[in-house]
Amino acid sequence: MNNLKTLDLVSLILVIVGGLNWGLVGILNFNLVSAIFGDMSMISKIVYALVGLSAVYLLTQFMNFARK
């Protein structure tokens, strides 16, 4: 974990938060992001977008790692 760049670490945290949120939605029907920031408020949309972008970034990093 010492070799993670800041962008890697932030992306990893955001994807973990997104995964936990989806787990809460699936198991308890509770959306933590909506509970904190409001249902589809601008901040909620930004959080969702950042989680999605982080997933795409980590996917590209994984693909680069898998090629090596």
Side-chain angles (χ1 to χ4, degrees), residues 35-52:
I36 293 173
F37 300 114
D39 190 29
M40 292 312 288
S41 68
M42 183 59 74
I43 296 175
S44 292
K45 290 180 182 182
I46 291 170
V47 169
Y48 293 133
L50 288 175
V51 169

Side-chain angles (χ1 to χ4, degrees), residues 27-43:
I27 295 169
L28 302 175
N29 198 27
F30 177 72
N31 189 334
L32 184 62
V33 174
S34 291
I36 293 173
F37 300 114
D39 190 29
M40 292 312 288
S41 68
M42 183 59 74
I43 296 175

